[in-house]
Amino acid sequence: MKSVGGHSRVTPWVLVTLYVCAGMMWLGAQAWVLNYFDVSTHRQSIRWQIGLFVAWLLVSSAVAVWLIARKSRADQVRQETAQELELVVRHAPAGMARVHVGGAEIVWANAKLAGWLGCSVESMAGQDFRSLVPADDRAEVEQQIGRLLDGRQDYFQALRHCTHAVTGKVTPVLCTTSRVAASGVRGPVALVCVLQDLSEMVGARNALTRSETMLRMALEGSGSGVWEWDAVQQKLNLSSGMSALLHYKGQDLTHDFDFYTRLHPDDADAVRSEIQQALEQGSILALTARLLCFDGLYRWFRARGQAHRDVDGSLLRVSGLLTDQTASREADERRRLAAAVVENTIEGVVVTDARSRILSVNPSFTRLLGFSEAEMLGQTPRMFKSGRHDKEFYDAMWASMHATGHWQGEIWNRRKNGEIFPERMSLSAVKDAAGMVTHYVCMFTDISDEKAREQQLEFLAHRDALTGLPNRSQFAIMLGDAVERAKAEQRGLAVMLLNIDRFKDVNDSYGHSVGDEVLKHIASQVQGALRCGDIIGRLAGDELCVVAPHLSGEKEAVEVAERLMAAAAKAWITPDGLSVVVSVSVGICLYPDHALTTEDLMQGAHAAVYGAKDRGSNAWCFFHEDMTQAARERLALEARLRRALALGHMRLFYQPQVDLRTGRLTGAEALLRWHDPEVGLISPARFIPVAESSGVIGPLGLWVLGEACRQGQAWREAGLPDLTIAVNVSLHQFLLTDIAGETAQVLETSGFPAHLLELEITESALAEKPEEALAVLNRLRDLGLRLAIDDFGTGYSSLAHLKRFPLDLLKIDRGFIRDIPNSGDDMAISSSVIALGHAMGLKVLAEGVETQEQLSFLQDKGCDFFQGYFCSRPLPAEDFAQLLEKAGAGQSLVDVLGGDNGVRG
């Protein structure tokens, strides 16, 4: 028998057993031979036995010699193998150890392993292998040993580390563990561990990792990402840095990124052409284009790459870098713009080195200073010194520069021609990374014109530009000083406000240029008529004001006023020889008789000048308290009116409009009423003029329009019969607001039908601006509502214009109805208006009908409708609803045949 390695497996006991068996077989063969030859004699038998024994000895000796020779050869082979193994174990570059399975005691170990552990080979025998060479994953090793012992695998590998006992150096190793069996014992009884040093491999891997990390950091720091197009697999591979470059937040950039679809449309054709050319010619791919990033913004990128081909020239892959160049392009653009700004700015710019030597100037600098660039290069700005600033000025400037790195202020410099001029200069220091000054940048602007304007503005701030007289603000200061002096001296003074009469007619007749000359002439004449110490100023377009101090009373004030009026009345002769004569009205307010403060004196003079104008032109008037009381009342009424509108104190009353033929209700006029919680009802005659002059009429008229439509729709929804609701529109509301747009909005909001709404516009509103009025009326008619002209006959409208307006109704003013039948003129006018309205195809309604005689007259003249106290006073909405119920029942509100109507309140 031989082992797998060719060594004999025959033991001595096996040889003895085989030898005994062979001897017994030999004896049996001997007995057979003797029996076969029938050897009977004793001597002959002995010879045969001796012969056979000798033969046995020869045969067995030969076999023994052969076996001994074979065993010697086997021992020699075994000894050589053992020596080889010993040499391998001793000199192998790997650590080796034999370990018992149970307690992991080391049976033997080689010097390599002992060297890693820093101990002798002899000292390792019997030690725990698991402690000396611990595994990185002990649980995994235990599991692998179990699989090794039950025969499911022949070996396993695990990572372990050896720590030098003296130096503490850790050697990472790969441990390959296999099982071995002891002679004469079945099954695995020991483990052989072969440990391979991984230090170089780990070092190389760490170096590779460090290189990859450094490369990645370099790419990320440079804003670049790596891309590769695998032409064989038709697959795009992207580095992790590409996600940050493209602002990608998903999980699979390779799947979601399509290069060509994300190209900017303006760059797509050029990029395709460059890629095709680079692949065909085998050149370096270098292109710049805009890509749509995943945050929805286009950014500039620079792509560089190289194609890789096999030996046959077939394309394998294309790889390269992608770099975000948005910031650099923007920086380049900013630098380009900055350079363009410096070159083209109107401000002078000069750059010097740290020693103030001029390095460069822009064209504006040469233009403003008069020097050429060649004349200034290498020089210092001291060549521009004007001599107007002393050493302390420059010391303070450079102290600020050294402290803050910046100085800004005004400075005087000198041009090449010697002219000294003011400039606003900004000087800044440019420092390097170490904080050292390397350059100075100076920017300046010539402010000569600005200084001139400042002087002019300084003049205009206190003087009137046309006449050169003190303006309102300066005059107020001068008046205040005069009042203080009068108070200290206990003397009187007069404030006289001169308002030019009909100055608007001068401007309209001769033009504003002539008007300005007339105004300058009057100012000059009045200024020439002043006494010594008098003060004059221009307050407004046609107002001059004079302060006359040291007056003893009203008589002396009148003398001064009449002298000023006479001076102003002197004619101004135009260049064409035309004489222009104007007069002034003078309002006089005395200190201390009428007022004690500058504000009260000015207010009193204004009030007095209106009193003078009420007396006619070229008149004077002293101030008295009643003049301001009316103004105060108007202001108080305006404030209360605004508050009433905000608090809902306004109410609408409705006056019926009746058909003169049937006596039935056809419509209602919405009339505004103000019920003040403190004083009760306030007449519209008081608050409507205030509303028109203050601008409140706009929101107030809009409220009336909205409330009337809302109430009309409420009646309709309550099942009451339809009727036309008329709403008055003031002149201000008609011409100065968007009445058409506001009406459309109100109709839409309220739901009230447009054909049931009637807007009443006064004749004066139509006569004021007929063309604009026509445009507004056409827009209103397009809405589908009715239009009426109110108070017809009181204005001065042209019939030529009137017939163009898209009207539906004429309303005769109550002033023409009131005296019928006692006034023949009113009867004639009313008859004419009715006939005119019918001739124009319009219906006619008479206002203010209060008697049966008036009603009968209107019936005889063919008037269509009327309203007035004869039928009913204006009623609140809840009372007017009763009339609607009566109309809905088919009842007449007025007996048009002459009976009493029964409705009047």
Side-chain angles (χ1 to χ4, degrees):
M1 299 176 62
K2 292 185 178 181
S3 65
V4 177
H7 306 298
S8 174
R9 293 183 180 179
V10 181
T11 64
W13 291 104
V14 174
L15 293 175
V16 171
T17 303
L18 291 175
Y19 186 76
V20 171
C21 293
M24 292 180 67
M25 292 177 61
W26 180 262
L27 289 175
Q30 180 179 337
W32 180 81
V33 170
L34 291 175
N35 188 41
Y36 179 79
F37 289 100
D38 192 21
V39 178
S40 59
T41 65
H42 179 69
R43 182 172 293 182
Q44 188 178 7
S45 172
I46 291 174
R47 287 196 298 267
W48 277 92
Q49 290 180 1
I50 291 173
L52 292 175
F53 179 73
V54 171
W56 164 251
L57 287 177
L58 293 174
V59 172
S60 60
S61 297
V63 172
V65 171
W66 178 78
L67 289 176
I68 291 171
R70 181 174 178 81
K71 184 176 186 303
S72 297
R73 289 195 299 272
D75 290 341
Q76 184 179 0
V77 171
R78 185 182 301 112
Q79 185 178 2
E80 292 174 355
T81 302
Q83 187 177 6
E84 292 175 357
L85 290 176
E86 181 182 359
L87 292 174
V88 169
V89 170
R90 179 182 302 172
H91 301 293
M96 297 183 183
R98 178 169 182 164
V99 181
H100 283 304
V101 173
E105 300 90 350
I106 297 176
V107 178
W108 57 262
N110 68 345
K112 191 67 173 180
L113 179 57
W116 290 341
L117 297 174
C119 57
S120 63
V121 174
E122 293 78 10
S123 64
M124 294 178 60
Q127 294 195 44
D128 190 344
F129 181 79
R130 295 171 297 186
S131 300
L132 291 177
V133 189
D136 292 353
D137 189 349
R138 299 191 63 176
E140 175 66 20
V141 169
E142 294 294 336
Q143 184 179 1
Q144 294 290 344
I145 289 176
R147 297 171 60 88
L148 190 65
L149 294 178
D150 62 17
R152 284 183 289 172
Q153 60 188 35
D154 295 331
Y155 70 95
F156 71 89
Q157 292 179 325
L159 293 176
R160 293 177 178 269
H161 58 273
C162 300
T163 304
H164 198 279
V166 178
T167 63
K169 177 184 178 183
V170 177
T171 303
V173 296
L174 177 64
C175 180
T176 302
T177 303
S178 57
R179 60 182 179 176
V180 296
S183 179
V185 182
R186 289 183 175 273
V189 296
L191 302 176
V192 174
C193 300
V194 180
L195 296 89
Q196 181 180 358
D197 187 357
L198 299 180
S199 299
E200 293 185 0
M201 184 182 300
V202 171
R205 182 180 301 169
N206 292 337
L208 179 61
T209 301
R210 287 194 300 271
S211 299
E212 291 178 347
T213 302
M214 294 177 65
L215 178 60
R216 183 175 64 254
M217 293 175 63
L219 289 174
E220 291 176 354
S222 65
S224 300
V226 180
W227 55 270
E228 180 187 64
W229 169 251
D230 191 331
V232 177
Q233 298 183 7
Q234 294 292 301
K235 180 181 179 182
L236 179 65
N237 299 314
L238 303 173
S239 68
S240 58
M242 294 288 285
S243 296
L245 279 177
L246 298 173
H247 296 263
Y248 179 71
K249 303 298 184 182
Q251 301 298 323
D252 191 354
L253 176 61
T254 303
H255 178 270
D256 296 338
F257 178 71
D258 187 338
F259 176 74
Y260 286 108
T261 59
R262 291 194 169 269
L263 276 172
H264 193 282
D266 296 342
D267 303 335
D269 293 339
V271 167
R272 292 177 184 272
S273 176
E274 290 183 32
I275 292 176
Q276 185 67 27
Q277 182 178 357
L279 293 178
E280 291 177 353
Q281 298 178 0
S283 59
I284 298 289
L285 175 65
L287 56 88
T288 302
R290 286 163 288 183
L291 289 178
L292 178 62
C293 295
F294 288 87
D295 60 355
L297 299 178
Y298 277 102
R299 290 181 174 83
W300 284 98
F301 289 93
R302 173 75 170 175
R304 292 183 61 86
Q306 177 66 55
H308 306 275
R309 302 177 182 272
D310 59 13
V311 294
D312 298 328
S314 299
L315 181 64
L316 296 177
R317 66 184 186 279
V318 182
S319 60
L321 297 177
L322 184 71
T323 305
D324 188 346
Q325 289 198 323
T326 304
S328 62
R329 288 182 69 94
E330 291 177 351
D332 291 342
E333 182 67 14
R334 287 193 296 269
R335 285 192 293 269
R336 187 187 65 80
L337 291 176
V341 169
V342 170
E343 287 297 313
N344 297 285
T345 183
I346 62 173
E347 295 181 325
V349 181
V350 58
V351 179
T352 73
D353 60 15
R355 296 183 300 168
S356 297
R357 301 289 181 181
I358 296 176
L359 300 178
S360 66
V361 296
N362 71 338
S364 294
F365 194 92
T366 59
R367 175 178 55 81
L368 293 171
L369 272 297
F371 293 94
S372 66
E373 184 175 7
E375 292 175 313
M376 291 183 284
L377 293 181
Q379 302 294 325
T380 67
R382 287 191 294 272
M383 65 184 298
F384 313 126
K385 290 181 64 174
S386 64
R388 287 200 175 189
H389 304 288
D390 56 16
K391 182 176 182 298
E392 293 181 356
F393 174 84
Y394 292 105
D395 289 344
M397 180 180 74
W398 283 107
S400 175
M401 279 295 302
H402 296 323
T404 65
H406 184 75
W407 182 86
Q408 184 174 0
E410 293 183 3
I411 191 172
W412 289 81
N413 272 334
R414 186 186 303 273
R415 306 186 203 272
K416 184 178 181 179
N417 60 8
E419 178 188 355
I420 295 175
F421 69 99
E423 64 181 40
R424 182 176 293 107
M425 188 176 77
S426 175
L427 181 62
S428 300
V430 180
K431 299 181 180 181
D432 59 15
M436 300 298 293
V437 176
T438 60
H439 298 83
Y440 291 104
V441 177
C442 176
M443 301 179 62
F444 76 90
T445 304
D446 186 349
I447 56 174
S448 302
D449 294 340
E450 184 177 331
K451 287 292 186 181
R453 286 194 298 270
E454 286 181 358
Q455 295 177 357
Q456 183 180 7
L457 291 175
E458 180 68 20
F459 175 82
L460 294 177
H462 304 95
R463 296 282 175 171
D464 174 58
L466 179 64
T467 63
L469 299 176
N471 58 15
R472 177 183 291 273
S473 61
Q474 182 65 20
F475 181 80
I477 296 174
M478 299 170 68
L479 174 59
D481 294 339
V483 171
E484 292 297 325
R485 288 195 298 271
K487 184 185 297 184
E489 298 172 0
Q490 295 185 352
R491 301 280 298 271
L493 63 78
V495 175
M496 302 181 183
L497 185 66
L498 284 68
N499 186 279
I500 302 175
D501 297 324
R502 296 183 300 278
F503 189 62
K504 182 177 182 299
D505 293 340
V506 175
N507 285 326
D508 292 345
S509 300
Y510 302 107
H512 288 277
S513 59
V514 173
D516 289 344
E517 294 298 327
V518 171
L519 184 59
K520 290 166 60 178
H521 169 74
I522 294 174
S524 176
Q525 293 298 320
V526 172
Q527 191 173 14
L530 295 178
R531 305 173 306 160
C532 180
D534 289 350
I535 301 170
I536 185 173
R538 183 187 180 192
L539 304 188
D542 57 355
E543 289 184 347
L544 303 176
C545 196
V546 173
V547 177
H550 309 136
L551 294 180
S552 58
E554 293 185 357
K555 180 178 180 181
E556 191 174 355
V558 170
E559 292 176 357
V560 173
E562 289 180 344
R563 183 168 63 252
L564 298 179
M565 292 167 61
K570 293 181 180 180
W572 175 74
I573 307 300
T574 68
D576 298 333
L578 178 65
S579 176
V580 179
V581 180
V582 295
S583 61
V584 295
S585 298
V586 181
I588 308 171
C589 186
L590 300 178
Y591 171 87
D593 298 344
H594 299 153
L596 299 176
T597 65
T598 58
E599 292 80 5
D600 292 342
L601 286 168
M602 292 295 295
Q603 183 178 357
H606 272 95
V609 80
Y610 287 117
K613 284 187 173 294
D614 289 340
R615 299 178 182 179
S617 60
N618 197 29
W620 53 264
C621 178
F622 281 101
F623 167 78
H624 57 83
E625 186 64 26
D626 293 343
M627 292 180 176
T628 59
Q629 184 62 32
R632 292 193 185 99
E633 289 180 356
R634 287 177 61 84
L635 290 175
L637 186 63
E638 177 187 344
R640 289 168 58 193
L641 179 60
R642 293 181 184 275
R643 186 169 59 253
L645 182 59
L647 297 178
H649 294 163
M650 312 306 292
R651 298 286 185 271
L652 283 187
F653 280 48
Y654 299 88
Q655 188 172 39
Q657 294 178 338
V658 181
D659 190 329
L660 271 170
R661 291 171 299 176
T662 63
R664 293 186 177 182
L665 179 66
T666 61
E669 181 179 4
L671 301 172
L672 183 61
R673 297 291 184 266
W674 178 7
H675 188 276
D676 189 274
E678 298 178 3
V679 300
L681 284 175
I682 299 178
S683 170
R686 286 186 59 195
F687 69 80
I688 290 297
V690 174
E692 290 181 336
S693 62
S694 63
V696 182
I697 193 65
L700 186 61
L702 182 60
W703 178 86
V704 171
L705 184 62
E707 177 62 18
C709 291
R710 185 201 63 78
Q711 184 62 64
Q713 184 63 18
W715 284 332
R716 295 180 72 246
E717 293 174 354
L720 298 175
D722 291 346
L723 81 162
T724 300
I725 296 182
V727 176
N728 289 288
V729 177
S730 72
L731 172 64
H732 180 281
Q733 186 181 6
F734 182 74
L735 294 178
L736 301 181
T737 66
D738 183 15
I739 184 63
E742 292 174 349
T743 302
Q745 181 64 35
V746 166
L747 291 173
E748 180 180 358
T749 303
S750 64
F752 190 63
H755 70 275
L756 296 179
L757 176 63
E758 181 178 278
L759 296 186
E760 297 182 358
I761 298 96
T762 61
E763 185 180 4
S764 58
L766 301 180
E768 180 78 15
K769 297 180 179 180
E771 296 301 327
E772 294 183 15
L774 178 60
V776 174
L777 290 177
N778 285 329
R779 290 182 61 195
L780 292 171
R781 169 51 61 89
D782 291 340
L783 296 177
L785 46 80
R786 294 168 52 83
L787 298 173
I789 182 169
D790 196 13
D791 299 338
F792 186 76
T794 61
Y796 301 94
S797 60
S798 167
L799 290 179
H801 286 304
L802 191 63
K803 69 180 182 179
R804 299 166 54 205
F805 296 143
L807 301 172
D808 299 289
L809 181 72
L810 291 182
K811 296 188 70 174
I812 304 175
D813 184 73
R814 67 183 68 248
F816 298 126
I817 303 298
R818 182 174 52 247
D819 294 331
I820 295 176
N822 300 322
S823 172
D825 292 339
D826 289 345
M827 294 173 67
I829 291 174
S830 299
S831 299
S832 300
V833 171
I834 294 171
L836 177 62
H838 288 163
M840 297 174 62
L842 306 178
K843 298 292 184 181
V844 181
L845 183 146
E847 295 181 306
V849 177
E850 299 181 358
T851 65
Q852 179 64 47
E853 290 80 3
Q854 295 168 350
L855 185 68
S856 300
F857 171 79
L858 293 172
Q859 286 179 315
D860 293 341
K861 299 302 179 181
C863 186
D864 301 291
F865 311 103
F866 83 94
Q867 68 183 72
Y869 287 177
F870 185 77
C871 174
S872 172
R873 290 177 177 273
L875 301 173
E878 54 272 15
D879 295 338
F880 191 84
Q882 298 178 8
L883 296 185
L884 280 176
E885 293 175 355
K886 185 175 180 181
Q891 302 180 26
S892 299
L893 298 186
V894 176
D895 184 0
V896 295
L897 299 179
D900 194 357
N901 58 72
V903 176
R904 288 173 289 172

